[in-house]
Amino acid sequence: MSTGWTAPGSTEGPAGHEPGPAGGAGGPAPQPAGGPAAGPRRELVQQVPLFPLRPLNLGEVLGAAVRIYRVRPKPVLGLSAAVYGIAFVLITLATGAGMIPLIGQMQATLEDPTGEAAEGFETVGSTTAEILATLGSSMVTMVITMVASALVTVVLTRIALGEATGDSVPDDRLWSLLRRQALPAVGVSLLIGVLSSVAFLLPLAVGAVPLLIIQEAGWLTIIALLLGLLAGLLAALWVFARTALSLPALAIEGTGVLDSLRRSFQMTAGRKLWRVLGLVLLLVLIYYFAQQIVAGVFIFVAFILYMAILLASSFEAFVLAMGVMTVIMMLGTYIATFLLAPFLCSGYAAIYADNRMRHEAWDVELNRQ
């Protein structure tokens, strides 16, 4: 659905607005078919851009993140639900596979606290296997989530900026756009993940050197470790801010993987970094806060059902209770994620557009077009 907008100083109306009468620019406009009362109703449904084509303020950035639900609700929510739906099915399978040995052993321990299962539950080998299973499940979950987020972001960013600039993406082109930019988007996302991990782990490893040498906890080793941890967090935050506009650049400018990262570094160089960092951090904090609220409702319901099943079965249906609780919690996380993904992606699109209009006069180019 295209949104009309008018270039400053232009005499043409927005797209979809009917021209005035042929007798002259100052003549009265013809009445709509529904009579005089139909005029105000047409004003109410008149489409507006996602955000104005000029440097944006904070309210306009957040307004664009919310307005996308009114401008293109069906495609953004449908695409987000489909992509994250596939991702969460895979995550649920991976999580369930990692939890099966632990749940089975816990069930056997509850049934026979003095049996072999209870003794095996406390062995070092069992604990090591559980740790490895948990780490493997967490890694798979992180990669799947990162890939799904990259796919959704690159398409929803293109939709949002298309609505703002009058270059709307038709619904029948969304999946072809996703197929065309899927691999570059995943490549950009994984490369950002690698850079962030290196930026965090390298200072942390340096801070852990005194502890490895002395092999004894003391003021020197603890302070060095804390300084390494702080430096790692700051370095990861720096990478996050410098690469925040990579996926919008990929979606709009059609750059490759490395060129998208290079473009983001260019757009966040010098003092430009602080505005992007502040806007992105605020956007992400609002997103995660809202996500926790939505998911928290499902977590509460899951815990109630978990306790009800245990009490009704005299604590014998532990596996069933755990399975029900896990599924409902995953469902809540999925619903919160796909519902709020358009908010985050549209906000990123507005930050990208604001940066270009503020520092590259992109609004002038768009108005000329």
Side-chain angles (χ1 to χ4, degrees):
M1 180 170 62
S2 177
T3 58
W5 57 274
T6 306
S10 173
T11 58
E12 297 179 4
H17 195 288
E18 294 184 5
Q31 292 290 341
R41 181 161 49 189
R42 173 167 182 165
E43 277 300 311
L44 290 176
V45 299
Q46 182 70 25
Q47 295 301 324
V48 296
L50 197 66
F51 50 78
L53 295 181
R54 56 169 172 74
L56 308 177
N57 57 39
L58 174 60
E60 288 165 339
V61 171
L62 296 179
V66 175
R67 197 173 295 123
I68 190 66
Y69 293 97
R70 179 164 59 90
V71 177
R72 294 290 294 274
K74 184 177 178 180
V76 296
L77 289 175
L79 181 83
S80 179
V83 175
Y84 278 116
I86 297 173
F88 271 84
V89 168
L90 297 177
I91 290 173
T92 302
L93 293 176
T95 304
M99 292 179 62
I100 285 175
L102 176 61
I103 293 176
Q105 198 165 23
M106 291 179 68
Q107 177 70 30
T109 302
L110 289 175
E111 294 175 354
D112 185 10
T114 60
E116 296 181 359
E119 297 176 359
F121 189 72
E122 299 177 356
T123 60
V124 177
S126 176
T127 304
T128 303
E130 293 161 15
I131 293 176
L132 292 177
T134 302
L135 289 177
S137 176
S138 300
M139 288 295 297
V140 171
T141 298
M142 184 179 65
V143 172
I144 294 175
T145 304
M146 190 180 298
V147 170
S149 177
L151 297 179
V152 171
T153 300
V154 75
V155 178
L156 296 194
T157 300
R158 178 65 183 86
I159 294 175
L161 284 173
E163 294 302 316
T165 61
D167 185 19
S168 180
V169 182
D171 292 354
D172 56 1
R173 284 185 51 202
L174 294 180
W175 291 106
S176 62
L177 178 64
L178 177 62
R179 289 192 299 268
R180 186 170 65 252
Q181 293 193 326
L183 288 179
V186 172
V188 169
S189 183
L190 293 179
L191 189 54
I192 291 175
V194 171
L195 291 176
S196 300
S197 299
V198 171
F200 173 73
L201 293 176
L202 189 58
L204 182 61
V206 173
V209 168
L211 181 61
L212 296 176
I213 294 176
I214 300 176
Q215 295 185 354
E216 183 179 349
W219 286 107
L220 175 63
T221 57
I222 293 176
I223 291 176
L225 191 61
L226 290 178
L227 289 177
L229 177 62
L230 178 61
L233 291 174
L234 292 177
L237 182 63
W238 181 84
V239 172
F240 168 74
R242 295 303 303 269
T243 58
L245 302 180
S246 299
L247 286 175
L250 174 67
I252 304 304
E253 302 176 32
T255 53
V257 174
L258 296 179
D259 288 338
S260 297
L261 291 171
R262 190 179 299 113
R263 183 76 172 106
S264 182
F265 271 80
Q266 177 188 357
M267 296 175 68
T268 56
R271 294 183 178 180
K272 294 183 287 185
L273 171 67
W274 302 111
R275 179 175 178 82
V276 173
L277 176 60
L279 290 174
V280 169
L281 281 180
L282 178 61
L283 192 71
V284 170
L285 286 175
I286 294 174
Y287 166 78
Y288 279 113
F289 180 74
Q291 188 184 48
Q292 293 307 312
I293 292 177
V294 176
V297 176
F298 287 85
I299 293 174
F300 177 76
V301 173
F303 179 74
I304 295 297
L305 290 177
Y306 169 78
M307 293 303 300
I309 293 173
L310 287 182
L311 293 175
S313 63
S314 300
F315 292 88
E316 293 182 358
F318 177 76
V319 175
L320 176 62
M322 281 293 294
V324 170
M325 185 174 68
T326 302
V327 169
I328 294 179
M329 290 174 62
M330 294 291 293
L331 180 64
T333 304
Y334 161 66
I335 292 176
T337 302
F338 93 78
L339 282 180
L340 293 169
F343 171 86
L344 188 63
C345 297
S346 184
Y348 268 92
I351 295 172
Y352 166 86
D354 170 69
N355 186 283
R356 290 194 61 183
M357 293 187 292
R358 190 174 296 272
H359 301 291
E360 300 176 4
W362 194 38
D363 51 331
V364 177
E365 177 186 346
L366 292 172
N367 286 325
R368 286 174 179 171
Q369 294 176 4

